[in-house]
């Protein structure tokens, strides 16, 4: 059975104290998570070790990084290597978030390298894909997302795909308050599963979790998560408040 996952992406928000308070508020009211359910928290790098310690012993809740560098080590001032994340107790890394693609010029080829770094350092990957509004308006979203997947993760083996979660995040829905409706989300998630199936086979495609991201909140999470191919969410704004994030976690457990 594939995993259901709700992941918090704090982006460049919350200092050490604020992040610590948020994690403890979440932990206080966390529902029991079934074996196939996970919660991920992706704080800024500087908060990572502290969130790792706070979550030690909390079942099914893991720390994710928001990025890693594509090289193993070296003269890359300001960057963090996948091996360092792994050594710090991080479990997942988000690769290819649209903000990284847009503001840091991360190409599909670079994301393939980052994915390799993550996997070779025993990190699991949340691979983000999603189209901008003009692509959606031209009805080219399926080809656009397929190309992102092909150019960044098609070189992996079927076994490596066990460590990859895909997050579909239409850029026009991120931080805009405009959510994909359930038909749009389901159509794209089933398309992504078909793309994975054509390359890696039905077994891999069926066991890959595909998360939806883009203005997901407690009021719309349940209907999105009820879609057959939506296995949870990657949450930005609504992950910064315990009550809202917990509301989304509860929607996953229903
Ligand atoms: C995100 O950036 O991954 C995201 C989904 O943001 P938001 O929930 O704020 O739209």
């Amino acid at each position: 059975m594939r995993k259901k996952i709700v992941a918090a992406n704090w982006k460049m928000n919350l200092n050490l104290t604020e992040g610590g308070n948020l994690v403890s508020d979440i932990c206080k009211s966390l529902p029991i998570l079934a074996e196939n359910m996970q919660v991920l928290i992706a704080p800024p790098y500087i908060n990572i070790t502290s969130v790792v310690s706070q979550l030690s012993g909390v079942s099914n809740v893991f720390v994710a990084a928001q990025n890693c560098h594509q090289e193993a080590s070296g003269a890359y001032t300001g960057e963090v290597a996948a091996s360092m994340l792994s050594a710090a107790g991080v479990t997942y890394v988000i690769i290819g978030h649209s903000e990284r693609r847009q503001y840091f010029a991360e190409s599909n080829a670079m994301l393939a390298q980052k994915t390799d770094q993550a996997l070779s350092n025993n990190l699991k990957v949340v691979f983000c894909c999603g189209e901008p509004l003009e692509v959606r308006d031209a009805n080219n979203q399926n080809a656009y997302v397929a190309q992102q997947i092909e150019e960044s993760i098609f070189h992996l083996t079927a076994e490596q795909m066990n460590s990859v979660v895909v997050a579909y995040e239409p850029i026009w829905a991120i931080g805009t308050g405009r959510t994909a409706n359930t038909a749009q989300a389901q159509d794209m998630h089933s398309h992504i599963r078909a793309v994975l199936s054509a390359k890696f086979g039905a077994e891999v495609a069926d066991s890959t979790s595909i998360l939806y991201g883009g203005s997901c909140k407690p009021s719309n999470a349940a209907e999105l998560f009820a879609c057959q191919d939506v296995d949870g969410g990657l949450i930005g704004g609504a992950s910064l408040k315990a009550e809202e994030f917990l509301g989304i976690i509860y929607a996953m457990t229903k």
Side-chain angles (χ1 to χ4, degrees):
M1 201 198 311
R2 60 181 178 253
K3 286 190 174 54
K4 292 185 175 190
I5 299 173
V6 167
N9 176 12
W10 291 0
K11 311 190 183 189
M12 197 173 70
N13 294 296
L14 306 180
N15 67 23
L16 213 49
T17 310
E18 293 163 340
N21 291 341
L22 176 57
V23 171
S24 65
D25 287 347
I26 291 167
C27 287
K28 269 183 224 148
S29 304
L30 197 65
I32 291 171
L33 299 169
E35 209 183 316
N36 69 325
M37 290 178 189
Q38 295 187 347
V39 170
L40 315 184
I41 297 186
Y45 283 140
I46 198 158
N47 299 25
I48 276 182
T49 49
S50 122
V51 177
V52 166
S53 338
Q54 268 187 294
L55 292 176
S56 81
V58 181
S59 299
N60 297 8
V61 185
F62 301 100
V63 177
Q66 298 174 17
N67 179 35
C68 69
H69 196 262
Q70 64 272 24
E71 299 293 342
S73 63
Y76 301 101
T77 302
E79 291 294 322
V80 173
S83 60
M84 299 168 185
L85 298 172
S86 192
V90 168
T91 308
Y92 281 85
V93 58
I94 299 171
I95 303 253
H97 191 280
S98 59
E99 288 150 16
R100 300 285 325 165
R101 294 173 186 264
Q102 181 180 352
Y103 303 126
F104 302 94
E106 295 192 355
S107 64
N108 291 342
M110 188 192 291
L111 299 175
Q113 288 178 275
K114 288 183 183 234
T115 301
D116 289 342
Q117 281 299 327
L119 295 177
S120 61
N121 285 287
N122 297 318
L123 295 168
K124 295 178 197 296
V125 168
V126 178
F127 176 76
C128 300
C129 54
E131 78 288 353
L133 187 57
E134 61 272 20
V135 170
R136 168 68 58 170
D137 285 344
N139 201 26
N140 283 332
Q141 65 274 9
N142 284 7
Y144 187 94
V145 167
Q147 187 175 359
Q148 289 179 317
I149 291 172
E150 282 163 23
E151 293 184 5
S152 297
I153 60 173
F154 260 27
H155 65 289
L156 301 178
T157 63
E159 198 193 333
Q160 285 177 308
M161 281 301 293
N162 288 328
S163 300
V164 176
V165 169
V166 174
Y168 168 59
E169 300 206 300
I171 296 169
W172 45 270
I174 295 180
T176 59
R178 182 179 164 189
T179 316
N181 62 38
T182 50
Q184 289 170 321
Q186 171 55 28
D187 282 355
M188 179 56 83
H189 282 230
S190 105
H191 167 63
I192 291 171
R193 213 176 291 290
V195 167
L196 296 176
S197 181
K199 171 67 186 172
F200 298 105
E203 205 180 314
V204 168
D206 284 346
S207 58
T208 301
S209 302
I210 306 176
L211 315 184
Y212 168 78
S215 299
C216 186
K217 39 191 184 268
S219 58
N220 59 26
E223 60 174 10
L224 285 161
F225 298 171
C227 297
Q228 196 188 337
D229 287 292
V230 177
D231 305 308
L234 178 53
I235 319 298
S239 73
L240 299 173
K241 294 202 175 117
E243 204 182 311
E244 288 191 30
F245 190 54
L246 282 161
I248 297 171
I249 296 172
Y250 274 92
M252 168 178 71
T253 62
K254 291 283 144 51

